[in-house]
Amino acid sequence: MVELHHSSHLLSMGIYIIFSGFLLLPIVKRLFHKEELKTFEKWILTIYCGVLVLFASYVWAILNITKGSHIGAAVFFSLILYLVVFTLLYGKITNDLSAFSVQKYGKKKAG
């Protein structure tokens, strides 16, 4: 009964991830054509890739491909969480610095 629950949950997660990938195809095409992506689109792709890694590690653990792989999903989740937090903090620091430079030097006239 436990395996049936895991497999149905795994199947539904896989279906949602595949459908989400189809919805993201226009953004991925723009990425491969080297067009400029908006910050929001970059975040969406980053989150999708993180979910894809988590799903792959979950499948790896369910299929018991290697011994001890059950901890992989937790490790990847923590890694992705830390990367997102540090990226947000870094973005906030750089945004604060750029806002400061515009405020400090924006009103000066060119000599």
Side-chain angles (χ1 to χ4, degrees):
M1 185 71 180
V2 173
E3 287 188 31
L4 181 61
H5 173 69
H6 284 301
S7 62
S8 65
H9 181 68
L10 187 66
L11 181 64
S12 64
M13 279 178 51
I15 290 171
Y16 288 132
I17 290 171
I18 289 170
F19 285 148
S20 298
F22 282 125
L23 291 175
L24 292 175
L25 275 178
I27 298 172
V28 173
K29 286 179 184 177
R30 288 182 41 218
L31 180 69
F32 283 118
H33 289 144
K34 300 190 182 194
E35 296 179 21
E36 186 66 29
L37 294 179
K38 298 176 186 172
T39 306
F40 175 74
E41 293 169 334
K42 290 178 187 176
W43 273 108
I44 292 296
L45 286 177
T46 303
I47 291 170
Y48 180 76
C49 289
V51 167
L52 202 59
V53 167
L54 286 173
F55 178 73
S57 64
Y58 185 64
V59 169
W60 192 277
I62 291 292
L63 296 177
N64 202 15
I65 294 174
T66 58
K67 299 256 186 234
S69 63
H70 60 278
I71 196 71
V75 171
F76 281 123
F77 177 79
S78 298
L79 179 67
I80 291 168
L81 180 67
Y82 289 140
L83 286 174
V84 167
V85 168
F86 287 137
T87 304
L88 286 174
L89 290 176
Y90 177 75
K92 180 168 175 27
I93 290 170
T94 56
N95 286 342
D96 289 347
L97 289 176
S98 64
F100 176 72
S101 65
V102 168
Q103 181 182 15
K104 185 175 179 182
Y105 299 110
K107 294 183 180 180
K108 288 189 175 185
K109 295 182 181 177

